Amino acid sequence: MAADHTKILFVWLSFIVPFIFTKLAEADNYIVQMDLSAKPKAFSGQQSWYLATLASLSANWRANTNATIPSSKLIYTYNHVIQGFSASLTPAELEALKNAPGYVSSIRDRTVKVDTTHSFKFLGLNSSTGAWPVSNFGKDVIIGVIDTGVWPESGSFNDNGMTDVPSKWKGGCENGTQFNSSLCNKKLIGARSFNKGLIAHNPNITISMNSPRDTEGHGTHTSTTAAGTYVQDASYFGYAMGTARGMAPGARVAMYKALWEEGAYTTDIIAAIDQAITDGVDVLSMSLGLDELELYEDPIAIATFAAIEKNIFVSTSAGNEGPDVETLHNGTPWVLTVAAGTMDREFGATLTLGNKGSVDGLALFPGNFSASQFPIVFDACEKASELRKLGQKIVVCQDPGKEGSLNDQFNSVQVAGNAAGVFITNNSDVEVFIQGPFPAMFLEQKDGDTVLDYIKRNIDPKASMEFKKTFLGTKPSPTVTSYTSRGPSYSCPSVLKPDIMAPGDLVLAAWPPNLGVARVNEDLLFSNFNLLSGTSMACPHATGVAALLKGAYPYWSPAAIRSALMTTSDLIDNTGSPIKDTGDNLRPASPLAMGAGHINPNKALDPGLIYDATVEDYVNLLCGLNFTAEQIKTITKSSNNCSNPALDLNYPSFIAFFNDRDAKRNSKTVKEFQRTVTNVGEGSSTYKATVTPINGVKVTVEPDQLVFKEKNDKKNFKLSVEAPSQLDEAVSFGYLTWEDIGGKHVVRSPIVATSYSIEK
Ligand SMILES: *[C@@H]1O[C@H](CO)[C@@H](O)[C@H](O)[C@H]1NC(C)=O
Ligand SMILES: *[C@@H]1O[C@H](CO)[C@@H](O)[C@H](O)[C@H]1NC(C)=O
Ligand SMILES: *[C@@H]1O[C@H](CO)[C@@H](O)[C@H](O)[C@H]1NC(C)=O
Ligand SMILES: *[C@@H]1O[C@H](CO)[C@@H](O)[C@H](O)[C@H]1NC(C)=O
Ligand SMILES: *[C@@H]1O[C@H](CO)[C@@H](O)[C@H](O)[C@H]1NC(C)=O
Ligand SMILES: *[C@@H]1O[C@H](CO)[C@@H](O)[C@H](O)[C@H]1NC(C)=O
Ligand SMILES: *[C@@H]1O[C@H](CO)[C@@H](O)[C@H](O)[C@H]1NC(C)=O
Ligand SMILES: *[C@@H]1O[C@H](CO)[C@@H](O)[C@H](O)[C@H]1NC(C)=O
Ligand SMILES: *[C@@H]1O[C@H](CO)[C@@H](O)[C@H](O)[C@H]1NC(C)=O
């Protein structure tokens, strides 16, 4: 039963699509890149050329093999994300296509992993000062969300008081099943859906909701986290009660539904990105990703390159495969990669003992629990049959701390059906249990000892429980969640990923009211708001904050906005200590887990210096990765002669690999990084560098002082990292800080030295 419950939670967390179908004559969908300059003049447009190319393949194939009707079929013609199309092709057709004039490359279609009332306050957002008023709450910034669709009737899409849709907007609102284009408004300004790729994979499929309407909840939740408007008295069955709102309550939302209950394919996702570019979004939010692909094989990396060329900021999720290293996806140098942290909020219950003493613990039971007293007993909680004999009592279990022991105890109590379970555990990761379908709470050892002591000292121990409590000010917070995926990046190890951490744990946001959110015993419960966890929830927080920056600085490049977010982020939690990692025994979090730090919207508004990067810089990076001309063209869509290859992107973070297993003892290696910083503060300023000591590593910065005469001045510096060629530690890290005289700006970058090597 507990396993069942875990499964439900993880469907929400990561939206893994288990879509199995029988392939038609082994045809598969391919995304095909073409060289438009090879298009014969006879064809008026690219689509007619692609159709003719596909028709010629079929003819050849039929002549050669004498087989029955081939299945070649154009799925989408793309305008921005690639020069080319997607089509359903048999292996023979694909081979023939490779010899067709203008063919550049092809990628097989894949399925994709999809990875509040309070988070705005935790991030320090305030209506009277800082990023909200300065950006006018993100007014007129358009956020495109690629997801499962939207529930347009949600209060979070209320457009009361919003001005007219910006005239630059070219998007639309599609009719469809249970979706009328009149459902869009001044907040939800666009809604479209993309499923031709899904249908090409399975022509007989019945799409249960053929419209932008959300049947899974994920898209409603992520889009309202980024930019929902104010909804009073929002809560999850009384937990997290308050006024819900997104990070950029003034921004507009356009939903691009490309993830379907029936499956999620890259052909549809990049069609959605293509349309979002055409429609004129300013920011793209994608809580999804593909694991372990090279940049030129990853359709999302390729499509987002086109978005960056159009100055669109792209925010993505790191994935939920932590705490192992090298699990991160979207480690793409031109996007923001967001890790998930906790907030200073917990949900729970209070256990009041017969002696009037009480303890608080974690809980998220959504049902109504009797206010009366129950007998309370201690039990080993090993056997459901033994527990059942105890009947309607509150059962207290002590977790022996073995692998899976809490799971087993939880399971037993659930099966036994006692009045409630009280679980004493040192396990810091009880989130998968607290949403369980029976009354359960989780106590720390010291509170558990209080309860056990009371039970021992009384002949007739009794207790009552009160659920639906929200505790604020949880310490320490934020912490890095254990599930957030860790770097280094598979596709581009030389760029440190993730970039930043944002709240992702138990985030309250809008939810379709017809989708069950919890179970109590066998009954499904419904709610207009739901609490979800995952990097899917962290990503839209960063999206919303990026929209605020875009509102404040419309002409900043995506790299400048990312730099501002990263260099101003927080390293210190609310106890004054370095942010800790739940997935690493609460040790200080490494930049491979949380990136530069925890997002701080108000500080990001005034970063002092930025590390900018242009499209050309990304091309030079691709050259530095030694990609072939074709691989580079697949990403950039243009020919590049790689006159200036450089792995060393002008990025606001540093990662150096010291993994030479053949190195002689005591041999040292120096890795150098060139950086250019731009003064975005007003007037002249002088910045001084400091570097925190890093175990086993020597870091130098030259020069260590930068004098800027005026705004937009640029200065260069070199950072050198010297360490043993084979570093002793897996990961050593520290920080470079540029601080201006007068101390108004602190521009901080993480530095990682690691002995990991990416196995490909
Ligand atoms: C093609 O198929 C037809 C009908 O089955 C058959 O008569 C013909 O001999 C075949 N031709 C070749 C080249 O295999
Ligand atoms: C917002 O800022 C004002 C002025 O600095 C302050 O008085 C108020 O307490 C802040 N509100 C919150 C919710 O922090
Ligand atoms: C949607 O349907 C309505 C009513 O049938 C029609 O008036 C409207 O033009 C349609 N909109 C689109 C975008 O197709
Ligand atoms: C869409 O909404 C409009 C306005 O409410 C209504 O007139 C129209 O009949 C609706 N169309 C459909 C297809 O439901
Ligand atoms: C699709 O349906 C048609 C007609 O019912 C059937 O002949 C065909 O085998 C089906 N294809 C698949 C892939 O199920
Ligand atoms: C809990 O009680 C409230 C108020 O009486 C009621 O609306 C709700 O349906 C109850 N919840 C359950 C799960 O029975
Ligand atoms: C839980 O932690 C406490 C304090 O660190 C320790 O005394 C106790 O033995 C631990 N219990 C288990 C079951 O690991
Ligand atoms: C690219 O090739 C050069 C020359 O062979 C080599 O020195 C460099 O290490 C390679 N870079 C990568 C990222 O493999
Ligand atoms: C490479 O491209 C750059 C910029 O387009 C150009 O200036 C340069 O001459 C080219 N070099 C070669 C060797 O073609």
Side-chain angles (χ1 to χ4, degrees), residues 581-624:
D581 185 348
T582 313
D584 187 22
N585 292 317
L586 293 176
R587 279 194 273 267
S590 128
L592 290 174
M594 74 163 172
H598 187 247
I599 196 164
N600 186 325
N602 295 327
K603 281 207 277 163
L605 208 57
D606 184 17
L609 305 178
I610 55 171
Y611 296 75
D612 209 350
T614 63
V615 170
E616 199 186 331
D617 295 330
Y618 296 126
V619 174
N620 292 338
L621 173 67
L622 299 175
C623 296

Side-chain angles (χ1 to χ4, degrees), residues 305 614-626 632 636 640-649:
F305 191 90
T614 63
V615 170
E616 199 186 331
D617 295 330
Y618 296 126
V619 174
N620 292 338
L621 173 67
L622 299 175
C623 296
L625 285 164
N626 292 344
I632 294 174
T636 64
N640 297 279
N641 60 16
C642 282
S643 49
N644 188 18
L647 268 189
D648 190 15
L649 183 66

Side-chain angles (χ1 to χ4, degrees), residues 674-693:
Q674 301 290 338
R675 290 290 186 271
T676 304
V677 280
T678 308
N679 178 27
V680 293
E682 295 302 329
S684 64
S685 52
T686 300
Y687 281 81
K688 286 194 159 146
T690 50
V691 177
T692 57

